[in-house]
Amino acid sequence: MLEQMGKAARAASYKMALLSSLEKNRVLQRIADYLEAQAEQILTANEQDVAEARTNGLSEAMLDRLLLTPARLKGIADDVRQVCNLADPVGQVIDGGLLDSGLRLERRRVPLGVIGVIYEARPNVTVDVASLCLKTGNAAILRGGKETWRTNAATVKVIQQALVECGLPAAAVQAIESPDRALVNELLKMDRYVDMLIPRGGAGLHKLCREQSTIPVITGGIGVCHIVVDDTAEIEPALKIIVNAKTQRPSTCNTVETLLVHQGIADTFLPALSKQMAESGVTLHADEKSLPVLQNGPAEVLSVKAEEYDDEWLSLHLNVKVVADLDEAIEHIRDHGTQHSDAILTRTLRNANRFVNEVDSSAVYVNASTRFTDGAQFGLGAEVAVSTQKLHARGPMGLEALTTYKWIGFGDDTVRA
Amino acid sequence: MLEQMGKAARAASYKMALLSSLEKNRVLQRIADYLEAQAEQILTANEQDVAEARTNGLSEAMLDRLLLTPARLKGIADDVRQVCNLADPVGQVIDGGLLDSGLRLERRRVPLGVIGVIYEARPNVTVDVASLCLKTGNAAILRGGKETWRTNAATVKVIQQALVECGLPAAAVQAIESPDRALVNELLKMDRYVDMLIPRGGAGLHKLCREQSTIPVITGGIGVCHIVVDDTAEIEPALKIIVNAKTQRPSTCNTVETLLVHQGIADTFLPALSKQMAESGVTLHADEKSLPVLQNGPAEVLSVKAEEYDDEWLSLHLNVKVVADLDEAIEHIRDHGTQHSDAILTRTLRNANRFVNEVDSSAVYVNASTRFTDGAQFGLGAEVAVSTQKLHARGPMGLEALTTYKWIGFGDDTVRA
């Protein structure tokens, strides 16, 4: 079955690559309209998914993530309309010129071809990813979380109807509808038909893809993010940034998980931190040096375990470690970070520069919250994933990350000397 | 052992990333000088490698590829001096601006970190790759063909001496010196320490890397290249281009392997082709339609086997197939090509455009030889590999392909709303 899907996606990708922005926006517009007009079949499928998930004992928080409502579906449709407004990178000439050989060479941006996306049980991702792939002239093979397979199937049906009515191949957007896990392993080997694989999910999925996929993979989305509180930081602004980075939306990958506090400021900073964290409902996990001070403060505090430096809390918990200097802070980030987002709070220009140059993460910040690492915040308009690897795309991936380029050489019966 | 090399390379990469272009050029200059001044130890090691290879029965052509002479070593040193003259992409600001949130964001080009390169038994590649990695502030782990391990070890020793004398870590360039094949498999799993893997070699090595590597891999270098002879092609210029694309250096990956001849020009073109190929010493492998015509010509001709459309000849052999129209030609390229380099010879603008848009290869040409696909020809100054995949870099990879970028956010105690 997957072999057939792959072939159909490849054939569709050749057609999609030739579309103008106008043609691509026309189908996106129609998809948005149909998501509203045909809401009923999607919502009915979603009801079944949610009912089954409830039977299977999913938490209320998880159930809420699965749930679609007419209002949420309208929001998703509006997001598709937003994608129409984004600039289309396809066709852009990156560079070019006349070579000494007489060859006129240009590098032109083109779609990647077929993009495979494996994602969590979030119904909105199906539409998000499909619309971004379509906007960039790609075909997509989608594999959403098994808890929402009925919702995804109904959604893709609506997308395919819009495609066909616009004279485009339905296979430009396909979903693997079976909840069978073995199909994921099969998808990972389809390098003949799939040009790029984006896993969105936990560390386990990323590991599976890194180890098993024969398709180039973009991994990311795991964020053990740090904030360094330098000895020249100012306490009030530092706390404001920490509160934002920890509590604004704790379940996200750009949330701070560990504070590295310069020993020169620890005595004054830690009591203030405890007070603020108590107000914000954050539990602290303190190292040997900070524990005695923090135990005197109002915030809940536990002794940090070594392995907690290497994991995301994704909740109102925060590690605190006192470091001797910036060297130790940078070394800690190199050893325990995930190259996602890290920040320094400092008033010292030299330390700001050192941090920016020496911390090898997708996004590094000076006196700003780690929460900014996001496609919309970065002005990319949309985001298909956050990459923490270094090839192809790093950090928030916008439309450009769904393209590649080709070299085009125009000769006048030109040969190599 | 590899674990130690990986750790040392990672540590070295942090230091190399901070160097200015001046500092990097200084060490490159010293490497070039030492390659000449200490030629003796490299040439002695090379003599041993060549002697062993001769004992093992390698062909004279292969032995010539292994062989270093004082003149060749001087050429290699001069290539390093050329790398000094190339513009350094590291530190370049790709884009940036002030976001509505107040965050000042820039995207800055930075080294990839640690690059692993697995390559054939060619002593010059050791120096080429090392110099390109050093110029871009990366550390490199090199694994050359086992037939030249002594030469590579001696060469890397000279490079490391230059590094150390410039106050830089020797581990910035390391070679896996043992000819043990198991070490390659071990290298493929070192994703903790290696950021990018470049295999240079045959299809088997690329397949191994795609299937086994947990490190992002750049595959490429396999070229089943096509030239389409459209019905509006002019015969004399077409033959000039074909001779260049086939015979200028037949063993390279950008050499043409299959001609696709429009049926509307076959009757006049094929006899002229046979005459020219006879002069150029090229053996033709003809499909059913072209065989009867070509059998009347002076060139040697055989009946093409189906699988010969899918393999590189890398020698003076050329497939010939008559196609009904451009659609059939494009379909043949999609089915049998390797997305390397393909050309059309035509006087029709519409067909030129269709070819450029619809053939999904790293490089597509109109009225030019496929032989142009090369870093030096493309003005990149140097080439670390030719990528035929679509992620990160496509076609000839110059210095830029050895870099990534980071997002740098400068705030003024800025938080996300």
Side-chain angles (χ1 to χ4, degrees):
Chain A
M1 186 195 78
L2 243 50
E3 176 87 9
Q4 283 311 313
M5 286 180 70
K7 265 188 204 171
R10 172 63 74 207
S13 76
Y14 293 135
K15 293 217 161 64
M16 302 306 288
L18 302 178
L19 300 181
S20 68
S21 298
L22 188 75
E23 292 168 301
K24 292 184 281 192
N25 285 340
R26 195 176 291 148
V27 69
L28 288 172
Q29 188 61 53
R30 190 172 289 226
I31 289 170
D33 294 345
Y34 282 10
L35 286 172
E36 293 176 348
Q38 304 186 28
E40 205 181 310
Q41 51 186 289
I42 298 174
L43 294 173
T44 305
N46 185 252
E47 270 170 35
Q48 295 172 356
D49 281 337
V50 172
E52 184 176 295
R54 179 166 281 123
T55 310
N56 290 341
L58 259 71
S59 69
E60 282 303 317
M62 278 294 290
L63 289 173
D64 187 62
R65 272 177 56 176
L66 308 189
L67 183 72
L68 279 184
T69 61
R72 285 185 181 181
L73 203 48
K74 172 153 195 339
I76 293 171
D78 285 340
D79 285 345
V80 177
R81 293 185 183 106
Q82 284 300 320
V83 173
C84 292
N85 297 330
L86 297 178
D88 181 358
V90 171
Q92 180 201 342
V93 176
I94 299 173
D95 46 30
L98 184 65
L99 303 180
D100 291 344
S101 55
L103 193 72
R104 188 160 56 79
L105 187 71
E106 69 174 51
R107 203 154 52 124
R108 196 185 290 176
R109 204 168 274 293
V110 297
L112 272 170
V114 179
I115 298 172
V117 188
I118 305 174
Y119 53 101
E120 61 277 48
R122 294 181 88 105
N124 62 309
V125 175
T126 306
V127 180
D128 282 0
V129 169
S131 60
L132 296 173
C133 287
L134 291 177
K135 177 78 188 199
T136 43
N138 291 290
I141 297 180
L142 308 175
R143 211 293 187 175
K146 62 182 186 319
E147 298 83 359
T148 48
W149 72 270
R150 291 183 195 86
T151 313
N152 295 342
T155 307
V156 167
K157 210 172 147 196
V158 168
I159 292 173
Q160 291 185 333
Q161 185 190 338
L163 281 162
V164 170
E165 287 182 14
C166 290
L168 300 173
V173 177
Q174 299 175 86
I176 300 176
E177 297 184 1
S178 156
D180 182 2
R181 278 247 163 191
L183 292 173
V184 170
N185 290 302
E186 210 179 309
L187 176 61
L188 299 186
K189 304 293 184 194
M190 298 228 303
D191 53 272
R192 261 195 78 186
Y193 305 116
V194 183
D195 296 291
M196 174 163 90
L197 197 69
I198 306 177
R200 293 175 47 143
L205 176 65
H206 286 267
K207 188 163 177 287
L208 177 77
C209 291
R210 247 200 325 275
E211 289 179 358
Q212 297 298 325
S213 176
T214 59
I215 304 164
V217 177
I218 298 282
T219 54
I222 313 288
V224 177
C225 303
H226 302 79
I227 293 182
V228 175
V229 184
D230 198 15
D231 58 347
T232 59
E234 283 179 43
I235 289 179
E236 282 316 309
L239 292 174
K240 180 182 79 166
I241 291 172
I242 292 164
V243 167
N244 185 263
K246 184 71 243 180
T247 71
Q248 204 230 4
R249 209 169 148 210
S251 64
T252 57
C253 57
N254 54 24
T255 292
V256 65
E257 308 292 10
T258 299
L259 291 188
L260 299 167
V261 181
H262 192 293
Q263 63 181 8
I265 199 174
D267 285 346
T268 50
F269 174 76
L270 292 175
L273 175 73
S274 181
K275 187 158 168 286
Q276 180 62 60
M277 291 300 105
E279 279 173 31
S280 302
V282 174
T283 302
L284 299 173
H285 297 258
D287 75 328
E288 278 184 4
K289 285 183 189 158
S290 61
L291 189 62
V293 188
L294 291 171
Q295 276 172 332
N296 291 329
E300 227 177 297
V301 61
L302 297 162
S303 179
V304 69
K305 294 174 193 141
E307 66 270 21
E308 289 171 345
Y309 287 132
D310 298 309
D311 254 332
E312 297 176 284
W313 284 113
L314 299 177
S315 56
L316 293 176
H317 292 259
L318 182 63
N319 304 321
V320 182
K321 181 181 177 178
V322 173
V323 291
D325 51 23
L326 187 53
D327 289 306
E328 190 184 343
I330 291 172
E331 202 172 326
H332 179 97
I333 295 172
R334 287 175 179 172
D335 287 347
H336 302 281
T338 53
Q339 302 190 315
H340 194 297
S341 302
D342 299 289
I344 187 169
L345 313 181
T346 187
R347 294 301 187 237
T348 310
L349 192 55
R350 178 173 289 158
N351 287 357
N353 283 332
R354 275 198 61 198
F355 186 84
V356 157
N357 290 327
E358 297 182 30
V359 171
D360 186 24
S361 297
S362 302
V364 286
Y365 296 96
V366 176
N367 297 325
S369 170
T370 53
R371 285 280 296 133
F372 281 110
T373 307
D374 173 278
Q377 292 291 323
F378 277 13
L380 303 180
E383 170 186 299
V384 71
V386 177
S387 160
T388 56
Q389 66 171 36
K390 294 181 183 173
L391 259 62
H392 188 66
R394 207 173 183 204
M397 295 168 61
L399 291 178
E400 198 182 288
L402 299 179
T403 66
T404 180
Y405 55 81
K406 64 166 69 159
W407 300 89
I408 305 177
F410 298 97
D412 184 16
D413 304 326
T414 310
V415 297
R416 181 163 167 182
Chain B
M1 185 196 78
L2 243 51
E3 176 88 9
Q4 282 312 311
M5 285 179 71
K7 266 188 203 170
R10 173 64 74 207
S13 77
Y14 293 134
K15 293 218 161 63
M16 302 306 288
L18 302 179
L19 300 181
S20 68
S21 298
L22 187 75
E23 291 167 302
K24 291 183 282 193
N25 286 341
R26 196 177 290 148
V27 70
L28 288 173
Q29 187 62 53
R30 191 172 289 226
I31 289 170
D33 294 346
Y34 283 9
L35 286 173
E36 294 176 347
Q38 305 186 27
E40 204 180 310
Q41 51 187 288
I42 298 174
L43 293 173
T44 305
N46 185 251
E47 270 171 37
Q48 295 172 356
D49 281 336
V50 171
E52 184 175 295
R54 179 166 281 124
T55 310
N56 290 341
L58 260 71
S59 69
E60 283 303 317
M62 279 294 290
L63 289 174
D64 187 62
R65 273 177 54 177
L66 308 189
L67 184 71
L68 279 183
T69 62
R72 286 185 181 181
L73 204 49
K74 174 159 195 333
I76 293 171
D78 285 340
D79 285 345
V80 177
R81 293 186 182 106
Q82 284 300 321
V83 173
C84 292
N85 296 330
L86 297 177
D88 182 357
V90 170
Q92 180 201 343
V93 177
I94 301 174
D95 46 30
L98 184 64
L99 303 178
D100 291 343
S101 56
L103 192 71
R104 187 159 58 79
L105 187 71
E106 69 174 51
R107 202 154 54 124
R108 195 185 291 177
R109 204 167 275 294
V110 297
L112 273 169
V114 179
I115 298 172
V117 187
I118 305 174
Y119 53 101
E120 61 277 48
R122 293 181 89 105
N124 61 309
V125 175
T126 306
V127 181
D128 281 0
V129 168
S131 61
L132 296 173
C133 287
L134 290 177
K135 177 78 189 200
T136 43
N138 290 290
I141 297 181
L142 309 176
R143 209 293 186 176
K146 62 182 185 323
E147 298 83 359
T148 48
W149 73 269
R150 291 182 195 85
T151 313
N152 296 341
T155 308
V156 166
K157 209 172 147 197
V158 167
I159 293 172
Q160 290 184 333
Q161 186 191 338
L163 281 162
V164 170
E165 288 181 15
C166 290
L168 300 174
V173 177
Q174 298 175 86
I176 300 177
E177 297 184 2
S178 158
D180 183 0
R181 279 246 162 191
L183 292 173
V184 171
N185 292 303
E186 209 179 310
L187 176 60
L188 300 185
K189 305 291 184 194
M190 299 227 304
D191 54 89
R192 260 194 80 184
Y193 305 116
V194 183
D195 296 291
M196 175 163 89
L197 196 70
I198 305 177
R200 292 174 48 142
L205 176 64
H206 286 268
K207 187 162 178 287
L208 176 77
C209 290
R210 248 200 324 276
E211 290 178 357
Q212 296 298 325
S213 175
T214 58
I215 305 164
V217 176
I218 298 282
T219 55
I222 314 288
V224 177
C225 303
H226 302 79
I227 293 182
V228 176
V229 183
D230 199 16
D231 57 348
T232 60
E234 283 180 43
I235 289 178
E236 283 314 310
L239 292 174
K240 181 181 79 167
I241 291 172
I242 292 164
V243 168
N244 185 263
K246 183 71 243 180
T247 71
Q248 205 230 4
R249 210 171 147 207
S251 64
T252 56
C253 57
N254 54 23
T255 291
V256 65
E257 307 293 9
T258 299
L259 292 188
L260 299 166
V261 181
H262 193 291
Q263 61 182 8
I265 199 175
D267 285 347
T268 49
F269 174 76
L270 292 176
L273 175 73
S274 180
K275 187 158 169 283
Q276 181 61 62
M277 292 299 106
E279 279 173 31
S280 303
V282 175
T283 302
L284 299 173
H285 298 258
D287 74 329
E288 280 183 5
K289 286 183 188 157
S290 62
L291 189 62
V293 188
L294 291 170
Q295 276 172 331
N296 290 328
E300 228 179 298
V301 61
L302 298 162
S303 179
V304 68
K305 294 175 193 141
E307 67 270 21
E308 288 171 347
Y309 287 132
D310 298 310
D311 252 333
E312 298 176 284
W313 284 113
L314 298 178
S315 56
L316 292 176
H317 292 259
L318 181 64
N319 305 321
V320 182
K321 182 181 177 179
V322 173
V323 292
D325 51 22
L326 187 54
D327 289 307
E328 190 184 342
I330 291 171
E331 204 172 322
H332 179 97
I333 296 172
R334 286 175 179 170
D335 287 347
H336 303 280
T338 52
Q339 303 190 315
H340 193 296
S341 302
D342 299 289
I344 187 169
L345 313 181
T346 187
R347 295 301 186 236
T348 311
L349 192 55
R350 179 172 290 158
N351 288 357
N353 283 332
R354 274 198 61 198
F355 186 85
V356 158
N357 289 325
E358 297 182 29
V359 171
D360 186 24
S361 297
S362 302
V364 287
Y365 296 96
V366 176
N367 298 324
S369 169
T370 53
R371 286 279 297 132
F372 282 110
T373 307
D374 173 278
Q377 292 291 324
F378 277 12
L380 304 180
E383 170 187 299
V384 72
V386 177
S387 160
T388 57
Q389 66 171 36
K390 295 181 181 172
L391 258 64
H392 188 66
R394 207 172 183 206
M397 294 168 63
L399 291 177
E400 199 182 287
L402 299 179
T403 66
T404 181
Y405 55 81
K406 63 166 69 160
W407 300 89
I408 305 177
F410 298 97
D412 184 18
D413 304 326
T414 309
V415 297
R416 181 164 168 181

